[in-house]
Amino acid sequence: MEKNILAKIFGMLNVVDIIKGTSRVCISWFLASHNKSLWKTIDLSNLKSIISKIPDKADPLSNDEEHQYELRNILAEITKFNSSVTTNLVFDNCYYIQEEELAIIAPTMPNVKKLSLPLYHNLNENSLMFTFSQWKNLQTLVITQPGLPIRNANFRAIGENCKNLTSLKLIRLLDNDLAYQIVSYFSNLESLSFRGAALYIDALLSLVTDHQNLGNLNLSHCLYIDCKGFANVYYNNYIKASGLETENIVQTATQKLDTFIVCSNHCETCNELRGRMRGRWDFHCNYCMLSNEQWKTDEIKELKF
């Protein structure tokens, strides 16, 4: 069979099926498995179906030694298959990517433009600097894992190296520190999404006011928290709610931004989450669940996977 036709067929398989299966059948299949079209996007967003012996449950993936070793072997094999052509790289949002994994993929995938990466908060700053220095063409970044904080060093490593980054999605709590980091390290940012995240109102106002180039902001299905820590959820198109902070956000955002996306009071997802809510922390857990289930989805086209 002609190798381009084989490559189209292989495109329906996951990366492990290719590197450990089809590429080892015969010479023609080996050559077809190296077709550049197969490696423009490397999708590792469902590690439960790729890495063996991971239990099928909703908990974050275990990072025990066995699973780490298997993932590193997979990444090492991928680097032998034209990974220099890779422009889209997607990791499972529940898996903690560590320094060893970054050391394997960063030097061999210099042309990545769109990346989804669950950053672990204890990563070494020098390691992060090296990693993102290899990805100077990066344009779109999604950082998942709502329960883990991001240190200043993480954002500094990204911001100082990835000057072409224009689209960012963060599934995590927006507080004043995070708002400051976004303004400080991502001055060229044009599109930002917090879809399904919890946001402090004063931090959101500060972000919208202080960022000079931001044009598109997605706040779909977000939880808004007032400065006293009391959770208030707003579902109106203009986030109409009591408090000067919220009114200022609406006025500032609608005047300053090209696109300002929030949910209407008819949003089925928000109404479903509201129906589940028994308390603040229950609601936060529901939003984490939303993030885990729908993190690939976004109303901003550039942030979809």
Side-chain angles (χ1 to χ4, degrees), residues 86-302:
T86 301
T87 56
N88 302 319
L89 178 58
V90 188
F91 278 95
D92 194 302
N93 71 315
C94 289
Y95 199 94
Y96 299 168
I97 299 302
Q98 301 190 16
E99 294 167 11
E100 291 83 354
E101 285 92 42
L102 294 176
I104 294 171
I105 60 175
T108 58
M109 301 181 186
N111 297 310
V112 169
K113 295 182 179 179
K114 192 170 185 178
L115 173 68
S116 176
L117 191 68
L119 283 177
Y120 189 55
H121 69 290
N122 284 334
L123 288 172
N124 179 273
E125 182 176 0
N126 290 333
S127 175
L128 285 171
M129 279 290 183
F130 171 77
T131 295
F132 285 98
S133 70
Q134 309 300 304
W135 289 332
K136 294 187 181 296
N137 295 321
L138 190 64
Q139 298 173 0
T140 299
L141 176 63
V142 175
I143 300 179
T144 57
Q145 296 182 332
L148 294 176
I150 298 182
R151 300 181 303 172
N152 285 359
N154 298 35
F155 278 128
R156 183 166 58 249
I158 300 168
E160 289 183 2
N161 288 291
C162 305
K163 300 298 184 181
N164 294 316
L165 186 68
T166 56
S167 301
L168 177 66
K169 182 174 183 177
L170 299 172
I171 305 177
R172 58 188 58 249
L173 173 70
L174 175 67
D175 56 13
N176 286 312
D177 182 55
L178 179 54
Y180 174 79
Q181 292 179 57
I182 294 172
V183 172
S184 299
Y185 300 127
F186 301 107
S187 58
N188 295 325
L189 200 63
E190 298 173 3
S191 299
L192 176 63
S193 176
F194 285 100
R195 192 181 197 274
L199 316 172
Y200 280 97
I201 294 174
D202 56 345
L204 181 59
L205 178 60
S206 173
L207 173 61
V208 173
T209 302
D210 295 341
H211 201 291
Q212 299 304 308
N213 293 317
L214 191 64
N216 309 301
L217 179 62
N218 184 11
L219 305 181
S220 298
H221 316 311
C222 284
L223 167 68
Y224 303 93
I225 306 173
D226 67 20
C227 58
K228 297 178 182 179
F230 178 78
N232 295 282
V233 185
Y234 310 123
Y235 296 96
N236 294 330
N237 281 321
Y238 301 105
I239 318 181
K240 295 177 181 177
S242 60
L244 181 63
E245 296 91 345
T246 305
E247 293 175 3
N248 282 345
I249 291 171
V250 174
Q251 182 178 5
T252 303
T254 52
Q255 291 178 355
K256 187 177 180 181
L257 301 175
D258 297 324
T259 305
F260 181 42
I261 305 172
V262 290
C263 292
S264 72
N265 54 358
H266 302 296
C267 174
E268 293 181 4
T269 300
C270 289
N271 287 331
E272 180 183 353
L273 291 172
R274 181 172 55 182
R276 297 180 190 175
M277 185 174 63
R278 295 188 300 272
R280 176 181 170 188
W281 296 112
D282 291 328
F283 201 87
H284 178 69
C285 290
N286 285 331
Y287 268 79
C288 288
M289 184 182 301
L290 170 68
S291 300
N292 289 335
E293 292 173 351
Q294 301 188 24
W295 64 274
K296 282 188 172 183
T297 301
D298 205 276
E299 285 70 21
I300 297 177
K301 181 175 67 173
E302 294 80 3

Side-chain angles (χ1 to χ4, degrees), residues 63-95:
N63 273 44
D64 61 39
E65 186 174 343
E66 180 182 357
H67 295 151
Q68 289 176 359
Y69 179 78
E70 189 167 359
L71 177 60
R72 289 167 195 166
N73 280 341
I74 290 171
L75 293 175
E77 287 296 316
I78 287 173
T79 62
K80 303 174 184 178
F81 287 78
N82 289 318
S83 58
S84 62
V85 305
T86 301
T87 56
N88 302 319
L89 178 58
V90 188
F91 278 95
D92 194 302
N93 71 315
C94 289
Y95 199 94

Side-chain angles (χ1 to χ4, degrees), residues 35-48:
N35 190 293
K36 291 182 178 181
S37 64
L38 295 174
W39 303 102
K40 288 183 179 179
T41 295
I42 294 178
D43 188 352
L44 296 170
S45 62
N46 188 7
L47 288 178
K48 289 179 182 178

